[in-house]
Amino acid sequence: MVTKRWVRGFVGGVVVAGVMAGAAGCDTPPAPRAAPGPTAAASGGGPGSASRPAGGGSAQPGRSVPAPDASPQCPEGGVRLLEAGGDAAMGLRVEGFQLLNCGTEEYVLEGYPEVTPRNGRGDRPEVAVVHGASGITTGVPDIEAPPQRVVLAPGQAAAWSVVWRNLVTDPSVPATTVTALEVVPRPGAPRLRLDLTRPLDLGNTGKLGTGPWTAVAR
């Protein structure tokens, strides 16, 4: 009797364990399929395709492609405008600029730059741009110098200046502030834009004098 009860108990335990194991197997989700590996980018590459490093090597996983050089690029035309500082006395203002030859060939200048002032809205204010300092002041050599031919080798610069009076002669006319200059260095050259760190406070005299190109001492 004891033996029969032990056998029935053993067999029942095996059945129950098997049922529980089967139930637990039903609740367990199947193992996920392996994620697909990276696919090769189409020839020509599109948005989001990996860049190929210089030298023809392939990009390596987990290693970003180096960013391009952050230094300023030479503008179209091979020259760049730079601010060169200025002076102010008793309402008279003089501001200097340079044109740097950042290209690979000689750059020839002659006469005066073609200057267009712009205000903070991007509009051209009602300001007469004249050659020299006539009607503004006298005794400014850089502004009143005769035009000359200036040849810039790569890496060399030419200078030019502007002069104005910061005066309010008519209280009914708003004062003008120039925040950028657009410059055509020579006929047919691309127009350059220079956003000024030192805006030109022209008052309301309505006149800006420009000097000719001059060679920078080497």
Side-chain angles (χ1 to χ4, degrees):
M1 295 295 292
V2 174
T3 302
K4 291 180 178 180
R5 286 198 298 272
W6 181 86
V7 171
R8 286 198 300 271
F10 175 78
V11 173
V14 170
V15 172
V16 171
V19 172
M20 292 180 66
C26 293
D27 293 339
T28 303
R33 296 175 60 188
T39 57
S43 177
S49 61
S51 301
R52 184 178 296 275
S58 59
Q60 300 183 17
R63 184 174 298 177
S64 60
V65 177
D69 185 5
S71 61
Q73 299 298 313
C74 191
E76 179 186 4
V79 288
R80 179 184 297 119
L81 284 174
L82 304 169
E83 294 179 284
D87 194 9
M90 298 296 292
L92 183 67
R93 305 282 194 268
V94 177
E95 194 75 22
F97 302 92
Q98 289 189 358
L99 185 80
L100 174 67
N101 182 358
C102 53
T104 57
E105 300 178 357
E106 284 188 344
Y107 197 90
V108 180
L109 297 165
E110 196 162 3
Y112 296 82
E114 178 189 316
V115 180
T116 301
R118 297 289 179 186
N119 60 24
R121 298 185 301 275
D123 301 327
R124 191 194 192 290
E126 294 185 8
V127 174
V129 179
V130 299
H131 293 167
S134 177
I136 300 174
T137 188
T138 58
V140 185
D142 290 344
I143 302 291
E144 299 173 315
Q148 59 180 303
R149 188 172 186 266
V150 179
V151 180
L152 302 179
Q156 293 181 341
W160 60 285
S161 302
V162 296
V163 62
W164 72 97
R165 285 200 177 274
N166 173 234
L167 299 177
V168 176
T169 57
D170 185 349
S172 65
V173 178
T176 298
T177 299
V178 172
T179 60
L181 294 177
E182 293 179 351
V183 176
V184 178
R186 62 186 184 185
R191 184 179 298 269
L192 302 173
R193 179 186 173 93
L194 179 64
D195 293 314
L196 304 175
T197 61
R198 293 158 50 101
L200 312 184
D201 50 346
L202 302 186
N204 61 11
T205 56
K207 185 176 287 188
L208 180 68
T210 66
W213 295 111
T214 60
V216 174
R218 299 181 177 90

